[in-house]
Amino acid sequence: MFKFVVVVSIFCFVFSLTTLAFAREGIQESSKSSSGQELRLEFKENKQNLKQDFKERKDEFKEKEASRRAELKEKKLEMVKKRFAYLSRHLNAYLLRLDRVSNKISSRIAKLNAKGVDTSVGQAKLNEAKLLRDLAKVAIDKAIIDAQSVAGAADIKVATDKAVVSIKDAKTALFNYHKKLVEATRALKVSRELREGTESAEKD
C-alpha cells in the first residue's frame, strides 16, 4: 500500500511537471503569436504611413509644378504683351515719319510747280504712295488688334502666330509706302535737274 501511494505521488508529481511545461510552452507560443501579430500590424501601419506620405509629397509636387507652370505662362504672356506693345508703337511711329516725308514732298512739288518745273511724274508717284499709305494704316491697325487679342486668347500660341504674321504684313506695307516716297523724291530731283539744265542751255 505504501508503495502504491509513493508511485501515485511520483506520477502526480511528474504529471504536474509535464502540465507545467506544456503550460509554459503554450504561454510562450501565445506570446510569440501575439508578438508576431503586433509586428505584422506595425508593418502594415508603417506601410500605410509611407503610402500616405508619398501621396502627400506627390500632391505637393504637383501643386508646385502647376504653380510654376502658371507663373512661367504669366511671365511669357507679359513678355509677349510688352513686345507687341513696343512693335505697335514702332509701327505707328514709322508711319508718322513717312507721313512727314510725304508732306515735305507735297510742299516740294508746290514750290517746283511755282518755278514752272514739270512735276507730273513725281506727283503720280506721290499719289501712288498715298494709296500705299492707306493700305499700311489698315495693316497696322489689324496688327495692333491681333497683338492686343493675344492676352485674352484661349490658345496663346495660335493668337501669337497670327499677331506675328499681321505685324510682318504691316512692316511690308510700310516698306512699300517708303519705297514709293523714295521714287517720288527721285522723280522730282530728275525734273528739277532737267529744268535747271534747260535753263542753263537757254542762257548759253
Side-chain angles (χ1 to χ4, degrees), residues 80-182:
V80 169
K81 286 166 63 178
K82 286 182 179 179
R83 178 62 177 167
F84 282 148
Y86 166 78
L87 288 171
S88 298
R89 290 195 302 270
H90 177 72
L91 293 173
N92 277 316
Y94 190 17
L95 179 65
L96 186 60
R97 287 197 298 271
L98 292 179
D99 286 344
R100 291 196 188 105
V101 173
S102 178
N103 291 334
K104 287 181 180 179
I105 293 173
S106 293
S107 177
R108 183 71 173 164
I109 287 174
K111 290 178 180 178
L112 290 173
N113 283 337
K115 294 180 178 180
V117 177
D118 181 10
T119 60
S120 57
V121 177
Q123 184 65 59
K125 296 289 184 183
L126 181 60
N127 292 340
E128 291 175 11
K130 288 180 179 179
L131 292 176
L132 292 173
R133 190 266 179 202
D134 293 339
L135 293 176
K137 180 65 172 118
V138 171
I140 290 171
D141 290 343
K142 183 179 184 304
I144 292 173
I145 291 172
D146 288 345
Q148 291 174 343
S149 68
V150 172
D155 192 326
I156 301 298
K157 186 179 184 307
V158 172
T160 300
D161 291 343
K162 182 180 178 182
V164 168
V165 172
S166 296
I167 288 171
K168 286 182 178 179
D169 290 342
K171 286 182 176 180
T172 300
L174 283 168
F175 174 77
N176 292 335
Y177 178 29
H178 183 194
K179 184 179 178 181
K180 193 59 65 174
L181 289 174
V182 171

Side-chain angles (χ1 to χ4, degrees), residues 30-85:
S30 176
S31 176
K32 287 180 180 178
S33 176
S34 176
S35 177
Q37 188 175 5
E38 287 178 2
L39 285 173
R40 285 193 296 272
L41 288 173
E42 185 178 352
F43 176 77
K44 186 177 181 181
E45 185 178 348
N46 287 337
K47 187 177 180 181
Q48 289 177 346
N49 289 337
L50 286 172
K51 281 184 177 180
Q52 183 65 25
D53 185 55
F54 177 75
K55 185 177 182 301
E56 289 176 359
R57 288 175 180 272
K58 187 177 179 181
D59 292 341
E60 184 180 353
F61 175 78
K62 284 183 178 179
E63 288 178 5
K64 287 183 178 180
E65 185 66 15
S67 178
R68 187 183 70 85
R69 287 182 179 178
E71 187 177 348
L72 287 174
K73 184 178 180 181
E74 186 64 28
K75 286 182 178 180
K76 184 178 179 180
L77 181 59
E78 191 62 29
M79 183 181 69
V80 169
K81 286 166 63 178
K82 286 182 179 179
R83 178 62 177 167
F84 282 148

